[in-house]
Structure formats: structure tokens, C-alpha cells
Amino acid sequence: MNFIINAFKAEESRDRILGVLLTELSKISNYKKFNNDVIEGIILNKKIKTLAIEHPRMHTSMNRLRMKNKKNNFAIIEVFFDHFLAKNWESFSNEPYDIFAAKIHNVLIKNLATLPNSTIAKFPEILSKSWLDNYKTIEGVHTIIRKLTHTSRVGVNSEESIFDLMENYSSFQNDFMFFMKDMEKETPINFEITDLQQKIYA
């Protein structure tokens, strides 16, 4: 779940941030009810997801995990990559991380009505102002993966991946840097919704 990478790529548009976050938290079945900026965020989210699915460094990182479940490993590496962006934030943005995190929190709080109650129940941490701080530390990453395990977003043994992170920290970070170099070239322009719907990671 790439909350931070998606929101970072959405830049200053709060509606675009809403679009990328909505797509991470719930399935969007009727995108036409949203304005153009939110739709652009939805498109951007799915384009980043497609890039990640196809990116060789994502697969290198996934293969580095001791568990070999493709779907679970993909979600875990997404969390790892968000961690590396949060940890190295000053290398990618001039905006302080605390201000960035507060902006994301405010966008979600102001748009809770667009999220299903089941989603809020599964991810109550999004209501906390400090939930994005977890991504900055290994201990916080462990907390995030543990919560994903409890919500059935990853396999029951996925918490063991934190040991893989600690044992291969620099290698995972190197994969992230290569991925970000390619991801920063991406924009949602000329990327059709109809194409994206065929590439959602199920």
C-alpha cells in the first residue's frame, strides 16, 4: 500500500491526493462521481501500481523476502518503499515531512464520507495525526505490517518480513532508489481509465 509514494507524486493538489488515497483504501467502482483532479489522482495511483508491478527492482525486492507469496510480498515491499521515502524525505522534497503528513491527514479527515465504513473500521489509524510517522522507522514499519496482517491484507506470517528488511536494509533501499528514479518520470497524462482497470493488482 503506497500511501506516501502516491501522495508525494500527487504533489500539491489536495483533490489528486484524495484520488490516490481513495484508491489505496477502497475499490473505486464509479469514478465519474468525482471531479477531474480526483480522477487524475485515481489514474495516477493505478499508473504507479502498474509501474511497480512491472518494475524489475520491485521483483528483486519481492524475491529477497523469505516468504514467496507474490501478492503478499508485493504489498510488503510497497510498505518498505514508503518507509524509504519517509526516511529519506529531504532528498526528494523541500516540504517538511511533518507538513506533508498533516496535509494527507487533513485531506482524509475532510473526506471521510467518501470512504466506506468497513474501510474506516479496518484502517482506524488513518484518523490519527501521527499514523504516517510509523513509516519513518523500522519499528513503525513492523507496526504497519502487523496491522495489515490483522486486516487480512497480507499473509499471517508476513510479520517475519521485518527481519528480511533488517538483514538486507541497504539492498532494499537501493532497489527503492532505482524505482523512484523511474517513477518520478511518470505522469497520469494519456493513461486511460479503461486500460488501468485491466491492470489493477488483484
Side-chain angles (χ1 to χ4, degrees), residues 1 3 6 16-28 34 38-46 49 115 153 200:
M1 300 181 72
F3 288 113
N6 274 285
R16 200 180 301 133
I17 290 173
L18 175 62
V20 297
L21 296 179
L22 284 177
T23 315
E24 284 295 299
L25 289 166
S26 59
K27 292 185 179 296
I28 305 297
F34 299 111
V38 174
I39 292 174
E40 189 171 290
I42 294 170
I43 294 172
L44 178 60
N45 173 282
K46 298 193 183 302
K49 187 78 69 177
L115 289 172
R153 298 298 290 258
I200 297 175

Side-chain angles (χ1 to χ4, degrees), residues 78-129:
E78 283 189 308
V79 174
F80 286 5
F81 280 14
D82 267 357
H83 160 66
F84 288 118
L85 178 54
K87 175 178 172 287
N88 299 286
W89 183 257
E90 293 78 10
S91 298
F92 293 92
S93 176
N94 293 323
E95 179 181 46
Y97 184 79
D98 290 347
I99 293 177
F100 167 80
K103 180 168 56 182
I104 294 176
H105 178 259
N106 290 337
V107 167
L108 284 173
I109 293 299
K110 290 180 180 179
N111 293 278
L112 282 179
T114 62
L115 289 172
N117 290 334
S118 59
T119 297
I120 298 173
K122 283 186 176 182
F123 302 101
E125 63 271 14
I126 66 174
L127 304 181
S128 168
K129 288 186 177 180

Side-chain angles (χ1 to χ4, degrees), residues 137-193:
T137 66
I138 292 177
E139 294 80 4
V141 170
H142 191 195
T143 297
I144 292 164
I145 293 174
R146 186 166 59 245
K147 289 179 179 178
L148 290 178
T149 301
H150 292 164
T151 58
S152 300
R153 298 298 290 258
V154 296
V156 293
N157 296 319
S158 295
E159 286 187 57
E160 295 179 4
S161 63
I162 200 67
F163 299 111
D164 298 314
L165 176 62
M166 291 188 291
E167 291 171 7
N168 302 280
Y169 195 84
S170 60
S171 296
F172 281 119
Q173 182 165 244
N174 192 42
D175 290 342
F176 160 76
M177 291 297 186
F178 273 94
F179 172 77
M180 283 295 289
K181 186 182 296 184
D182 290 338
M183 191 279 295
E184 288 187 306
K185 302 173 186 175
E186 298 295 323
T187 67
I189 306 303
N190 298 325
F191 205 80
E192 298 295 333
I193 289 271

